[in-house]
């Protein structure tokens, strides 16, 4: 158990809909990261938040957005869903100091999103 | 543009022998490298890491080697055990982590 929790575990929705994925980081971790893993792909970095502020952005679509709340939990919002958005979405957290150095990240169990 | 590559999608090794997983990268700005292990229906688990100022890091049965001139790193597991069967991802860090596509390791009893 990494200490990172994600809800829900599974989500099935239709094209055009909007969903929200939730992540609670490990106790004491200020950084939260979101990743997407499509079939047979590696993990694609989407976005990082540090202590409520956006820190780094990866291959995140404009239809996707995220935020980190004062209690440090984070939400990833996916809208106007398309079939190709079906994937595993992982959240990770780390205890970095706020600089740009990336320390070891600890991953949650993931949310499996299926768009039909 | 795949900056981190794991060219072997799968690898089978006899129990007790050495498992060697390889990873190549193209971005010379990467300064920290990590290996993660992933079981089905779970998130990746951090295994071992190495800074670009080192060429070897050891932790129990796991050793990571870094060859900066070749832009190559490898993970050695010795001796291999059945519980090591999983997908292994290498990752390289600059201001974010870039992951390879993974190698599925199967340990044969």
């Amino acid at each position: 158990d990494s200490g990172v929790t994600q809800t829900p575990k599974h989500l099935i929705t239709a094209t055009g809909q909007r969903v929200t994925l939730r992540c609670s980081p490990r106790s004491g971790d200020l950084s939260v990261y979101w990743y997407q893993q499509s079939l047979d792909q590696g993990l694609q970095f989407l976005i990082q938040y540090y202590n409520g502020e956006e820190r780094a952005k990866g291959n995140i679509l404009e239809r996707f957005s995220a935020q980190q709340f004062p209690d440090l939990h984070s939400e990833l919002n996916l809208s106007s869903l398309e079939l190709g958005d079906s994937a595993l979405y992982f959240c990770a957290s780390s205890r970095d100091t706020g600089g740009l150095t990336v320390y070891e990240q600890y991953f949650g169990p993931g949310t499996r999103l299926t768009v039909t | 543009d795949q900056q981190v590559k794991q060219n072997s999608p799968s690898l089978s090794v006899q129990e007790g022998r050495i498992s060697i997983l390889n990873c190549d990268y193209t971005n010379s700005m990467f300064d920290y490298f990590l290996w993660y292990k992933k079981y089905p229906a779970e998130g990746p688990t951090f295994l071992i890491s190495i800074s670009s100022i080192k060429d070897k890091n050891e932790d129990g049965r796991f050793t990571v080697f870094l060859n900066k001139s070749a832009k190559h790193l490898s993970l050695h597991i010795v001796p291999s055990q059945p519980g090591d069967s999983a997908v292994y991802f290498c990752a390289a860090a600059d201001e974010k982590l870039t992951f390879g596509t993974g190698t599925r390791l199967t340990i044969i009893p």
Side-chain angles (χ1 to χ4, degrees):
Chain A
D1 184 356
S2 67
V4 178
T5 60
Q6 288 187 249
T7 55
K9 285 185 80 84
H10 302 278
L11 201 45
I12 302 174
T13 190
T15 54
Q17 295 298 304
R18 172 189 167 97
V19 297
T20 298
L21 313 184
R22 183 187 167 103
C23 168
S24 293
R26 292 187 317 163
S27 176
D29 286 359
L30 298 180
S31 273
V32 170
Y33 309 80
W34 287 97
Y35 291 87
Q36 178 192 58
Q37 185 184 20
S38 302
L39 194 64
D40 293 332
Q41 298 289 315
L43 288 88
Q44 300 292 320
F45 169 69
L46 296 178
I47 197 164
Q48 177 200 357
Y49 276 80
Y50 172 77
N51 203 21
E53 301 286 328
E54 183 183 304
R55 171 57 55 84
K57 224 168 183 175
N59 301 321
I60 187 165
L61 299 172
E62 284 193 16
R63 300 184 284 110
F64 295 2
S65 64
Q67 53 185 327
Q68 186 179 27
F69 294 86
D71 66 353
L72 300 177
H73 91 271
S74 177
E75 292 181 356
L76 179 68
N77 300 296
L78 314 176
S79 61
S80 302
L81 285 167
E82 301 175 0
L83 295 177
D85 297 327
S86 295
L88 269 170
Y89 291 85
F90 288 103
C91 167
S93 70
S94 70
R95 194 157 291 153
D96 62 296
T97 62
L100 293 178
T101 305
V102 174
Y103 292 82
E104 292 80 4
Q105 296 178 18
Y106 294 84
F107 284 77
T111 293
R112 181 172 292 282
L113 173 67
T114 302
V115 182
T116 63
Chain B
D1 175 27
Q2 194 84 46
Q3 294 189 62
V4 178
K5 295 180 187 179
Q6 292 177 258
N7 291 317
S8 299
S10 62
L11 175 68
S12 294
V13 174
Q14 207 75 34
E15 181 180 358
R17 308 292 284 269
I18 183 170
S19 294
I20 300 175
L21 295 100
N22 294 303
C23 180
D24 297 296
Y25 62 95
T26 57
N27 186 346
S28 57
M29 298 303 291
F30 289 140
D31 59 1
Y32 200 74
F33 302 88
L34 307 94
W35 283 95
Y36 283 82
K37 174 179 174 178
K38 186 181 180 305
Y39 292 120
E42 295 182 11
T45 302
F46 168 71
L47 202 53
I48 192 169
S49 61
I50 187 167
S51 165
S52 60
I53 62 173
K54 294 187 173 182
D55 55 19
K56 177 181 172 181
N57 188 27
E58 208 168 335
D59 183 2
R61 296 186 299 113
F62 303 92
T63 303
V64 56
F65 295 93
L66 176 63
N67 182 333
K68 280 185 66 178
S69 60
K71 294 192 175 70
H72 177 83
L73 69 154
S74 61
L75 174 68
H76 291 209
I77 307 172
V78 55
S80 300
Q81 299 174 353
D84 297 329
S85 294
V87 177
Y88 289 79
F89 292 97
C90 68
D94 41 19
E95 60 208 30
K96 64 182 192 306
L97 284 188
T98 301
F99 282 82
T101 51
T103 296
R104 181 177 302 279
L105 175 65
T106 302
I107 305 302
I108 304 162

